[in-house]
């Protein structure tokens, strides 16, 4: 649906990676970059999340990736006023635990978050690092999914008061407003 923003407009904490992951399914067209295990591998490898020597993901791994994607989408919809789904947190927790996501310390005492697991599990856990970082400063709540049922495109809300509800006001916002207007307008005979 939408094109990625220029680098200067990228969301903080590499949230663009998480947004791109959720947008691997275009609800409007039905196109799904994770439709098969090969697509999953290609997507993860293109973003340096999966070691080239890692085992080929299979259908089980693809389903887990799709579960994580849809859990993230549900959280993004909740950021945009939809009811919360407690199962979403469980899916993120599972990915973090399976990939051994945790704080790691360097010799100088500096700390960073990384996934200590291997292969596919590590790749999924690494997708959560931006979520953790953004949760600390509140920018995670700005990552939303479009309210339009036929869209649900993930986007970063740049509005000053965090009130953005559509991925693109000119498209989804306009469609929604026109639909509402037509429902309110008196019927002509």
């Amino acid at each position: 649906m939408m094109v990625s923003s220029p680098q200067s407009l990228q969301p903080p904490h590499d949230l663009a990676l998480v947004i791109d992951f959720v947008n691997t399914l275009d609800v409007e067209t039905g196109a799904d970059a994770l439709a098969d295990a090969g697509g999953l591998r290609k997507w993860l490898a293109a973003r340096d999340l999966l070691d080239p020597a890692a085992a080929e993901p299979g259908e089980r791994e693809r389903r887990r990736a799709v579960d994580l994607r849809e859990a993230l989408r549900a959280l993004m919809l909740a950021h945009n006023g939809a009811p919360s789904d407690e199962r979403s947190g469980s899916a993120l927790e599972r990915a973090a635990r399976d990939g051994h996501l945790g704080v790691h310390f360097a010799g100088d005492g500096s700390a960073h978050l990384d996934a200590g697991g291997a292969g596919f599990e590590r790749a999924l856990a690494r997708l959560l690092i931006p979520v953790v970082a953004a949760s600390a400063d509140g920018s995670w709540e700005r990552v939303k999914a479009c309210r339009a049922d036929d869209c649900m495109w993930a986007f970063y809300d740049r509005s000053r008061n965090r009130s953005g509800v559509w991925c693109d006001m000119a498209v989804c916002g306009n469609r929604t407003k026109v639909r509402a207007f037509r429902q309110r307008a008196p019927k002509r005979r």
Side-chain angles (χ1 to χ4, degrees), residues 148-159:
D149 291 337
D150 57 347
C151 180
M152 293 193 277
W153 196 255
F155 68 98
Y156 187 77
D157 179 3
R158 296 190 180 287
S159 66

Side-chain angles (χ1 to χ4, degrees), residues 21-87:
F21 179 64
V22 171
N23 288 338
T24 56
L25 173 63
D26 186 333
V27 173
E28 186 175 27
T29 66
D32 188 353
L34 309 182
D36 57 41
L40 171 63
R41 179 174 185 68
K42 181 179 176 183
W43 192 90
L44 292 171
R47 284 145 188 89
D48 293 324
L49 292 171
L50 189 62
D51 183 342
E56 192 74 29
E59 180 58 21
R60 179 178 166 268
E61 288 81 11
R62 188 196 72 80
R63 281 193 314 270
R64 286 187 45 216
V66 168
D67 288 347
L68 179 60
R69 175 184 70 193
E70 296 312 313
L72 287 164
R73 185 187 317 278
L75 290 169
M76 292 173 184
L77 285 166
H79 293 167
N80 206 355
S84 295
D85 181 356
E86 295 300 318
R87 295 174 293 180

